[in-house]
């Protein structure tokens, strides 16, 4: 409660009313009253900056905007307000840059499109101005409720956005833009099946709606339905084969299905039209890296940075090569970008992780940790991960997957022997094991396949007609036909990733959560648990920025608790399914490659092949963070890296606990 007797919401409502009435002194005072109770209140900081601008206090307004951006870097209206301030000060270059950032954060900020058009018209750039006017008119033509919903969406107020969007759709059930917005909300909330259904339905109503098809492709990719995403992207590409946006989307989906030559050809076409596009240059770098063309990847990333020094993904692309070392000039450039407070949220995350790697390579471990911690902190702010909820979820596997379950359901499922699951935690050496085994003539390497996780999600959402049990309890109630069908669906659904060998690897680490399900639907599948010393494994995960998922890695306590839960669940699987899982310790592979290779091949029932020892000579696409490392001979360089950061890792020590750590000491 403030000195005025109003609570924060009431005080903020008063400040807005005063601002809209043009009473800027009064509104400023009301906003400052809110900030006395909550110095980082986003709406109060925004009102404060607007009022200061209208009162002609531009320097103060810029300081308020800087504070607002530090609290919420992707708050579009903060960048828009910065644009208005620069424009009022006559700095039109600065204003244009701010307005562009505003529209990247929130594409329905009509005032930012309008202001860009006015500046471009003043510069005589009529064609570019017309594009901005087109966006301005597009927003003007949208129903006002959808504009409001869009603001909620882009400002991260997803629950309010969902409620408002569903209310709008109740009155307008076939409104395609509302369906697209609800799908976007669902995608951000992780409800991808619903987003998929909404977008597929929207396309039936408007097959020529380009944005809906692009969103549909992105959702299919998030669900790792790569074949369908490729099909949809090709349909888009065939509409206009010279359109660089369509070329780029088709290239990205080609990468996902292993069509790297086609992807690189398409990226080259885009760059012929837009030779200095940093996003395309970075995507090209990712493709070249995956394809093993290291030097070309470096050049592509470097060109992206030269074109746009704010483009964080390119810096992190270089860092994620693991073998690249940043120059002094590149380090200074990253530092200046990170300190300038003009980066988007995602660019800041990328640069923080890249700086962590750069200082790690220079053995400045304290500075390195500071950047890793900042990057992880930013990721945690975006995340909805709940470590205790994950513990409950993993414990449910222990409760449900009892000896009675495996006795009752034995002899069922699909008898295909094809799959080899390599699972555990990320950064535990699974990519190395995959590269070793995929060098065998009878084994295909594939990807971190989503199929088992998708099946578990489906079972979790669907109650059986005969009872109310949900996954994993429902495993007791599935009949032989259901189990066999699910196993066959896995075999059929993963075939697109195979090259014709009799066996193939699914390297999704999170599959350890579902070993019970795997052995029921695919009783002849082989399972390898890639295990690494806990401190090394957890810290390696903490300093890795993952493309998607693995949200438990963005905090030392969180990843320590997850590792502890993983060990407990694996002990349960060992007790329930003796001999079903082969545990391979990463450190043992480094110490005795030949012995561990023979041990794995014996478990798989396959003859020894020297190519498995010479794995680094195998030419194949590798998509994970270890892609460059597995193209080198075995090295122990990173085994004890975590010890250099030991003074910072007490939260990890405590989360792991003595039971996990003592066997390692």
């Amino acid at each position: 409660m403030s000195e005025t007797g109003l609570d924060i919401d009431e005080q903020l409502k008063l400040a807005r009313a005063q601002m809209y009435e043009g009473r800027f002194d009064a509104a400023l005072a009301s906003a400052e009253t809110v900030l006395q109770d909550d110095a980082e209140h986003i709406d109060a900081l925004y009102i404060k900056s607007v009022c200061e601008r209208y009162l002609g206090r531009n320097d103060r307004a810029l300081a308020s905007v800087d504070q607002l951006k530090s609290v919420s870097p992707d708050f579009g209206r903060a960048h828009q307000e910065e644009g208005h301030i620069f424009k009022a000060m006559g700095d039109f270059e600065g204003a244009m840059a701010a307005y562009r950032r505003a529209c990247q954060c929130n594409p329905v900020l009509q005032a930012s499109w309008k202001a860009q058009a006015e500046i471009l018209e003043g510069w005589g750039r009529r064609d570019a101005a017309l594009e901005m006017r087109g966006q301005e008119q597009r927003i003007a033509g949208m129903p006002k409720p959808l504009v409001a919903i869009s603001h909620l969406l882009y400002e991260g107020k997803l629950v309010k956005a969902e409620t408002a969007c569903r209310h709008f759709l109740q009155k307008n059930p076939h409104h395609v833009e509302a369906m697209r917005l609800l799908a976007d909300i669902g995608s951000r909330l992780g409800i991808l099946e619903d987003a998929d259904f909404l977008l597929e339905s929207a396309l039936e109503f408007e097959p020529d709606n380009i944005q809906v098809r692009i969103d549909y492709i992105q959702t299919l990719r998030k669900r790792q339905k790569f074949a369908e995403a490729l099909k949809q992207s090709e349909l888009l590409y065939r509409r206009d084969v010279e359109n660089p946006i369509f070329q780029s989307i088709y290239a990205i989906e080609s990468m996902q299905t292993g069509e790297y030559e086609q992807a690189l050809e398409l990226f080259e076409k885009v760059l012929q039209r837009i030779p200095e596009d940093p996003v395309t240059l970075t995507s090209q770098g990712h493709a070249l890296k995956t394809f093993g063309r290291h030097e070309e990847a470096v050049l592509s990333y470097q060109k992206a940075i030269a074109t746009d020094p704010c483009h964080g993904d390119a810096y992190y692309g270089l860092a994620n090569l693991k073998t690249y070392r940043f120059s002094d000039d590149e380090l200074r450039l990253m530092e200046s970008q990170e300190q300038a407070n003009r980066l988007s949220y995602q660019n800041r995350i990328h640069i923080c992780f890249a700086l962590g790697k750069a200082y790690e390579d220079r053995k400045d471990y304290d500075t390195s940790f500071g950047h890793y911690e900042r990057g992880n902190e930013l990721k945690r702010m975006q995340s909805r991960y709940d470590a205790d909820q994950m513990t409950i979820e993993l414990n449910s596997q222990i409760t449900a997957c009892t000896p009675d379950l495996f006795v009752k359901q034995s002899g069922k499922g699909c008898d295909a022997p094809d799959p080899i699951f390599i699972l555990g935690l990320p950064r535990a050496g699974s990519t190395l094991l995959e590269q070793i085994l995929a060098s065998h003539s009878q084994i295909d390497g594939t990807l971190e396949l989503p199929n088992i996780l998708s099946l578990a999600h489906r079972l979790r959402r669907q109650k059986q007609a005969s009872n109310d049990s949900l996954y994993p309890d429902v495993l007791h109630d599935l009949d032989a036909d259901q189990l066999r069908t699910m196993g066959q669906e896995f075999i059929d659904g993963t075939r697109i990733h195979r090259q014709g060998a009799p066996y193939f690897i699914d390297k999704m680490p999170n599959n350890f959560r579902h070993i019970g399900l795997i052995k029921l639907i695919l009783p002849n599948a082989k399972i390898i648990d890639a295990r690494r010393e806990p401190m090394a494994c957890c810290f390696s995960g903490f300093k890795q920025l993952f493309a998607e998922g693995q949200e438990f890695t963005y905090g030392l306590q969180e990843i320590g608790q997850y590792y502890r839960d993983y060990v407990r669940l694996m002990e349960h699987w060992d007790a329930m399914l003796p001999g079903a899982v082969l545990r391979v310790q990463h450190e043992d592979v480094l110490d005795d490659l030949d012995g561990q290779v023979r041990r794995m091949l014996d478990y798989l029932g396959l003859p020894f092949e020297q190519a498995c020892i010479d794995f680094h000579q195998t030419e194949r696409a590798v998509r994970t963070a270890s892609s460059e490392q597995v193209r080198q001979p075995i090295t122990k360089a990173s085994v004890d890296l975590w010890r250099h950061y030991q003074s910072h890792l007490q939260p990890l020590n405590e989360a792991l606990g003595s039971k996990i750590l003592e066997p390692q000491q």
Side-chain angles (χ1 to χ4, degrees):
M1 190 76 68
S2 69
E3 294 178 1
T4 62
L6 302 175
D7 64 25
I8 283 182
D9 288 340
E10 292 170 334
Q11 191 74 45
L12 200 64
K13 186 176 180 181
L14 174 63
R16 283 199 191 95
Q18 292 166 331
M19 182 176 71
Y20 292 140
E21 291 167 2
R23 298 164 55 204
F24 299 113
D25 280 316
L28 179 59
S30 296
E32 287 175 334
T33 300
V34 173
L35 292 168
Q36 288 174 6
D37 292 329
D38 182 355
E40 296 188 344
H41 196 292
I42 292 172
D43 290 333
L45 284 169
Y46 173 69
I47 292 170
K48 181 173 183 283
S49 65
V50 171
C51 292
E52 287 169 335
R53 172 171 60 88
Y54 273 102
L55 291 167
R57 304 169 189 172
N58 289 328
D59 289 341
R60 290 187 185 182
L62 280 175
S64 296
V65 166
D66 280 345
Q67 186 181 355
L68 177 53
K69 290 192 299 178
S70 70
V71 174
S72 183
D74 269 1
F75 186 59
R77 282 185 288 164
H79 296 282
Q80 176 172 272
E81 186 56 30
E82 184 177 53
H84 291 337
I85 297 165
F86 282 138
K87 190 180 178 189
M89 296 170 69
D91 180 358
F92 296 109
E93 291 283 355
M96 278 296 291
Y99 288 133
R100 279 196 296 269
R101 288 192 296 272
C103 293
Q104 288 167 358
C105 296
N106 182 346
V108 292
L109 286 171
Q110 188 176 1
S112 286
W113 294 111
K114 179 181 179 182
Q116 287 181 82
E118 290 171 350
I119 292 170
L120 289 165
E121 286 164 356
W123 290 343
R125 294 173 56 185
R126 296 190 177 280
D127 289 346
L130 279 174
E131 290 183 27
M132 304 300 135
R133 291 293 185 194
Q135 292 292 338
E136 178 193 353
Q137 291 161 11
R138 175 185 67 82
I139 298 163
M142 287 175 64
K144 288 184 178 180
L146 292 190
V147 175
I149 291 164
S150 298
H151 284 307
L152 291 171
L153 168 66
Y154 293 118
E155 291 175 8
K157 300 170 183 175
L158 299 182
V159 175
K160 288 183 178 179
E162 181 184 11
T163 301
C165 200
R166 289 190 183 280
H167 180 72
F168 182 87
L169 279 167
Q170 285 174 355
K171 298 179 179 179
N172 307 273
H174 296 157
H175 196 288
V176 167
E177 180 61 14
M179 294 170 75
R180 190 191 71 79
L181 283 172
L182 186 58
D184 194 347
I185 295 164
S187 180
R188 291 168 191 247
L189 289 169
I191 310 170
L192 296 176
E193 285 187 46
D194 290 359
D196 186 334
F197 174 76
L198 278 163
L199 293 167
E200 186 178 19
S201 302
L203 276 177
E204 290 178 4
F205 292 127
E206 290 186 14
D208 294 330
N209 190 310
I210 300 300
Q211 190 58 57
V212 170
R213 193 170 299 277
I214 290 172
D215 286 9
Y216 185 42
I217 292 165
Q218 291 171 341
T219 300
L220 290 168
R221 187 193 319 136
K222 284 184 178 179
R223 297 193 68 195
Q224 296 196 13
K225 295 169 73 171
F226 297 128
E228 182 60 25
L230 181 65
K231 176 184 173 183
Q232 292 295 328
S233 66
E234 185 174 6
L235 285 172
L236 192 63
Y237 172 68
R238 297 299 173 199
R239 292 176 64 96
D240 181 0
V241 296
E242 298 301 319
N243 185 308
I245 295 173
F246 299 169
Q247 290 170 341
S248 182
I249 292 169
Y250 190 30
I252 289 166
E253 303 316 320
S254 296
M255 282 176 60
Q256 302 301 330
T257 53
E259 301 289 340
Y260 292 98
E261 293 288 0
Q262 177 169 287
L264 289 168
E265 287 176 11
L266 287 161
F267 284 136
E268 197 57 47
K269 286 183 179 179
V270 176
L271 291 169
Q272 287 171 6
R273 295 281 298 276
I274 317 172
E276 295 187 342
D277 179 51
V279 174
T280 303
L281 287 164
T282 304
S283 295
Q284 182 186 58
H286 295 337
L288 289 164
K289 169 200 168 187
T290 304
F291 212 37
R293 291 160 61 176
H294 174 94
E295 292 180 1
E296 293 171 84
V298 168
L299 290 173
S300 197
Y301 290 136
Q302 289 175 332
K303 189 172 182 181
I305 292 167
T307 302
D308 180 5
C310 293
H311 193 60
D313 194 13
Y315 294 104
Y316 190 68
L318 289 170
N320 207 30
L321 289 168
K322 308 302 182 188
T323 55
Y324 184 79
R325 298 295 178 264
F326 288 100
S327 68
D328 290 347
D329 287 344
E330 288 170 329
L331 185 60
R332 282 193 291 269
L333 181 58
M334 283 192 288
E335 286 281 18
S336 66
Q337 291 297 328
E338 205 278 326
Q339 293 167 10
N341 206 24
R342 290 194 179 185
L343 290 172
S344 72
Y345 198 90
Q346 201 59 38
N347 281 330
R348 187 173 301 280
I349 290 172
H350 278 117
I351 288 179
C352 283
F353 277 92
L355 281 166
K357 181 64 168 63
Y359 281 106
E360 174 190 315
D361 292 336
R362 291 165 181 252
K363 303 187 182 345
D364 183 350
Y365 299 113
D366 289 340
T367 304
S368 169
F369 184 83
H371 288 296
Y372 282 138
E373 174 56 32
R374 174 62 173 150
N376 277 281
E377 180 186 10
L378 291 169
K379 285 295 292 184
R380 285 197 302 276
M381 288 168 63
Q382 285 185 321
S383 173
R384 291 178 296 278
Y385 179 74
D386 183 330
D388 292 335
Q389 182 58 44
M390 179 58 71
T391 298
I392 292 169
E393 182 179 320
L394 297 184
N395 283 342
S396 73
Q397 294 285 337
I398 294 173
T399 303
C401 296
T402 60
D404 289 345
L405 170 67
F406 294 108
V407 170
K408 176 183 178 182
Q409 301 289 37
S410 67
K412 302 175 185 177
C414 172
D415 61 6
D418 311 20
I420 301 167
F421 292 92
I422 299 178
L423 41 73
L425 261 69
R427 311 299 296 150
S430 58
T431 303
L432 175 59
L433 299 189
E434 181 195 36
Q435 181 77 351
I436 289 168
L437 294 177
S439 301
H440 197 285
S441 62
Q442 296 189 50
I443 302 175
D444 284 332
T446 61
L447 301 169
E448 296 181 356
L449 302 174
N451 303 63
I452 293 295
L453 302 184
S454 295
L455 174 57
H457 183 68
R458 198 167 80 213
L459 289 170
R460 191 175 288 117
R461 287 168 60 89
Q462 295 176 353
K463 293 183 179 181
Q464 300 299 298
S466 58
N467 58 66
D468 291 332
S469 62
L470 293 173
Y471 181 79
D473 293 325
V474 74
L475 295 175
H476 289 267
D477 305 312
L478 299 173
D479 61 32
D481 284 343
Q482 289 173 305
L483 292 169
R484 185 172 54 254
T485 298
M486 289 175 187
Q488 190 60 51
E489 280 181 3
F490 177 84
I491 298 298
D492 294 341
T494 54
R495 204 173 300 281
I496 186 175
H497 303 291
R498 300 174 64 176
Q499 306 297 318
Y503 303 98
F504 71 99
I505 297 167
D506 177 350
K507 202 184 73 67
M508 173 61 75
N510 301 343
N511 282 338
F512 82 85
R513 306 175 194 172
H514 307 291
I515 288 176
L517 171 62
I518 290 170
K519 293 304 287 185
L520 293 182
I521 68 172
L522 294 161
N524 294 320
K526 299 293 187 180
I527 300 174
I528 296 174
D529 173 22
R531 185 76 60 94
R532 186 178 179 186
E533 188 276 328
M535 291 295 291
C537 183
C538 292
F539 182 65
S540 185
F542 178 78
K543 69 190 189 75
Q544 178 67 44
L545 175 60
F546 292 93
E548 198 163 357
Q550 315 300 14
E551 293 187 349
F552 59 87
T553 64
Y554 297 118
L556 293 173
Q557 189 278 326
E558 288 84 353
I559 194 170
Q561 182 172 336
Y562 188 86
Y563 189 101
R564 193 178 69 227
D565 292 340
Y566 147 72
V567 170
R568 186 174 66 255
L569 183 54
M570 291 308 301
E571 288 172 348
H572 174 75
W573 297 133
D574 288 343
M576 295 299 101
L577 301 161
V581 178
L582 178 71
R583 184 152 298 111
V584 179
Q585 193 72 31
H586 180 62
E587 292 77 13
D588 293 343
V589 177
L590 302 185
D591 288 337
D592 180 17
L593 176 61
D594 186 271
Q596 291 300 314
V597 167
R598 292 179 186 277
R599 179 170 169 258
M600 287 189 287
L601 293 177
D602 285 347
Y603 167 73
L604 298 173
L606 295 174
F608 175 80
E609 290 183 1
Q610 181 62 30
C612 295
I613 302 295
D614 302 328
F615 64 88
H616 54 282
Q617 298 176 10
T618 300
E619 293 187 5
R620 55 179 290 266
V622 183
R623 299 194 195 181
T624 65
S626 303
S627 62
E628 290 304 304
Q629 292 162 303
V630 299
R631 294 189 174 106
Q632 308 294 325
I634 286 282
T635 175
K636 297 183 181 181
S638 62
V639 169
D640 289 326
L641 176 67
W642 67 272
R643 295 187 186 278
H644 296 294
Y645 296 85
Q646 199 160 6
S647 63
H648 302 284
L649 302 183
Q650 189 57 31
L652 175 57
N653 262 290
E654 292 173 359
L656 287 167
S658 58
K659 183 180 177 182
I660 298 295
L661 291 173
E662 281 174 1
Q664 309 296 324
Q665 295 173 353

